[in-house]
């Protein structure tokens, strides 16, 4: 095969990759949007089941509200990126890209905040003095993401703005890594001392939080690593290797939060099942005591 034939094959393969990329992004965006809607419905069902079993339990807890916001931000991110991808009108592109940035940055903060809400009981037990530090970390992360959003949304970006934005993105990465590392460390410490906490009435609950928290936080860190590669890679290079890499990373980046949310819903479903088993056990125990007169 001569050089001209080789070049033709490469161009043909690149054209195929770009067509596949376009179709894949459209199909996956639609599928993920539907899955996010189903997860929102499932969350509503789980909350309703919990409410019907115990009317004293509030439906709109802070954890549930944040989880709803995560699903809405996730759906908004997918929808806005889909609209940005399929439209060629410059005004629509600017609007949808701005919305995409807003929803994506909101999702990043909400995921960290939700992780904090779920892991706070364990972290507060393992290292009570670290609670204030985590609050400061969350506030700093929110401020850094806001600056990142503003700089990313600027259409007339100068080299100075681009450099500043990359610096802020690096700061975001450091903050998230610190948060994830300390959270995983707290979960690991608690699990290593789990068997010694015999007098703790919430022993099993905190164990479950630690296990699921470890899995969720690790998964979240993996998602952010993929997002970071996306952020710092120049996707304007029209080669087969670069565009194939973009397709793979996009598929991962868009699907990972869906799995994270699914893990949270499984935690809720598991908690409901265990609560039901506990109640059933107490009812049977009471019934047996009544029959035997004890």
């Amino acid at each position: 095969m001569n050089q001209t034939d080789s070049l033709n094959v490469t161009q043909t393969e690149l054209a195929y990759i770009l067509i596949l990329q376009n179709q894949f992004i459209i199909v996956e965006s639609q599928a993920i949007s539907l899955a996010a809607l189903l997860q929102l419905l499932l969350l509503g069902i789980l909350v309703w089941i919990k409410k019907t079993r115990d009317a004293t339990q509030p439906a709109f807890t802070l954890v549930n509200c944040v989880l709803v916001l995560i699903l809405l931000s996730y759906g908004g991110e997918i929808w806005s990126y889909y609209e940005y991808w399929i439209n060629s009108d410059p005004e629509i592109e600017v609007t949808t890209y701005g919305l995409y940035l807003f929803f994506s940055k909101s999702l990043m903060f909400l995921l960290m905040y939700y992780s904090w809400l779920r892991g706070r009981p364990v972290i507060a037990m393992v290292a009570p003095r670290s609670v204030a530090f985590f609050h400061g970390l969350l506030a700093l992360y929110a401020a850094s993401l806001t600056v990142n959003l503003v700089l990313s949304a600027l259409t007339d970006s100068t080299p100075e703005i681009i450099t500043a934005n990359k610096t802020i993105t690096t700061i975001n990465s450091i903050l998230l890594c610190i948060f994830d590392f300390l959270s995983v460390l707290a979960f690991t410490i608690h699990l290593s001392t789990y068997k010694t906490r015999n007098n703790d009435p919430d022993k099993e609950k905190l164990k479950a939080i630690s296990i699921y928290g470890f899995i969720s936080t690790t998964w979240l860190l993996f998602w952010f690593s993929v997002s970071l590669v996306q952020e710092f890679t120049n996707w304007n290079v029209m080669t087969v290797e670069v565009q194939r890499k973009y397709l793979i990373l996009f598929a991962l980046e868009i699907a990972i939060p869906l799995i994270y949310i699914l893990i949270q819903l499984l935690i809720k479903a598991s908690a409901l099942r265990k609560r039901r088993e506990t109640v059933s056990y107490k009812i049977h125990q009471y019934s047996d005591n009544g029959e035997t007169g004890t």
Side-chain angles (χ1 to χ4, degrees):
M1 181 181 293
N2 58 40
Q3 187 175 359
T4 303
D5 291 336
S6 177
L7 181 61
N8 289 335
V9 170
T10 302
Q11 289 176 341
T12 301
E13 188 178 359
L14 178 59
Y16 173 74
I17 289 290
L18 291 174
I19 292 172
L20 180 63
Q21 183 185 97
N22 184 63
Q23 293 175 340
F24 182 82
I25 288 175
I26 292 173
V27 172
E28 190 182 24
S29 297
Q30 293 172 341
I32 293 291
S33 297
L34 177 60
L37 183 62
L38 291 175
Q39 286 187 333
L40 186 61
L41 178 62
L42 178 58
L43 174 61
I45 292 172
L46 291 174
V47 171
W48 177 78
I49 291 174
K50 183 178 180 180
K51 189 69 176 176
T52 54
R53 289 181 182 174
D54 187 356
T56 62
Q57 290 288 334
F60 298 101
T61 62
L62 180 58
V63 169
N64 288 339
C65 288
V66 174
L67 192 53
V68 169
L69 288 175
I70 287 174
L71 282 163
L72 292 177
S73 296
Y74 184 45
E77 180 188 23
I78 302 302
W79 167 81
S80 55
Y81 190 83
Y82 170 78
E83 291 295 327
Y84 168 75
W85 186 266
I86 65 172
N87 279 290
S88 56
D89 187 321
E91 291 186 3
I92 295 178
E93 284 185 346
V94 170
T95 302
T96 52
Y97 186 68
L99 288 171
Y100 164 74
L101 289 173
F102 171 76
F103 284 123
S104 63
K105 301 305 178 185
S106 298
L107 179 64
M108 291 175 73
F109 173 74
L110 288 168
L111 286 172
M112 179 189 272
Y113 185 53
Y114 184 84
S115 297
W116 163 245
L117 290 177
R118 298 300 293 176
R120 180 172 54 185
V122 172
I123 294 171
M125 172 182 286
V126 172
R129 294 182 179 179
S130 70
V131 172
F133 175 79
F134 272 94
H135 286 164
L137 197 63
L138 283 165
L140 190 58
Y141 189 61
S144 182
L145 282 175
T146 302
V147 175
N148 195 197
L149 170 62
V150 173
L151 293 177
S152 299
L154 294 176
T155 53
D156 299 324
S157 296
T158 62
E160 291 77 15
I161 291 177
I162 293 173
T163 301
N165 199 22
K166 287 185 177 181
T167 302
I168 293 297
T169 301
T170 303
I171 293 172
N172 290 341
S173 307
I174 294 172
L175 293 174
L176 185 64
C177 287
I178 292 173
F179 176 87
D180 286 346
F181 173 76
L182 293 178
S183 298
V184 168
L185 182 62
F187 297 142
T188 304
I189 292 173
H190 182 267
L191 288 172
S192 65
T193 59
Y194 160 74
K195 293 182 179 179
T196 63
R197 302 178 184 275
N198 296 323
N199 297 325
D200 188 352
D202 294 326
K203 178 180 177 180
E204 294 299 325
K205 179 181 177 181
L206 293 175
K207 177 188 175 184
I209 290 175
S210 296
I211 292 173
Y212 283 114
F214 183 90
I215 295 171
S216 299
T217 305
T218 305
W219 190 248
L220 195 61
L221 188 59
F222 173 58
W223 172 67
F224 187 74
S225 300
V226 173
S227 300
L228 203 59
V229 174
Q230 285 273 55
E231 184 80 24
F232 283 98
T233 303
N234 181 13
W235 301 115
N236 294 323
V237 179
M238 288 297 145
T239 63
V240 174
E241 292 75 16
V242 170
Q243 295 307 313
R244 185 185 289 123
K245 181 181 178 182
Y246 176 83
L247 187 60
I248 294 170
L249 287 176
F250 178 82
L252 284 172
E253 185 181 20
I254 202 174
I256 289 174
L258 190 73
I259 299 173
Y260 175 88
I261 297 168
L262 180 61
I263 293 172
Q264 310 315 310
L265 294 176
L266 289 175
I267 294 173
K268 284 187 168 294
S270 176
L272 280 175
R273 180 180 58 81
K274 288 182 178 179
R275 188 176 290 111
R276 183 178 182 181
E277 289 175 352
T278 302
V279 172
S280 297
Y281 172 77
K282 289 181 178 179
I283 291 174
H284 286 302
Q285 188 180 45
Y286 177 79
S287 177
D288 291 342
N289 289 342
E291 289 176 1
T292 58
T294 57

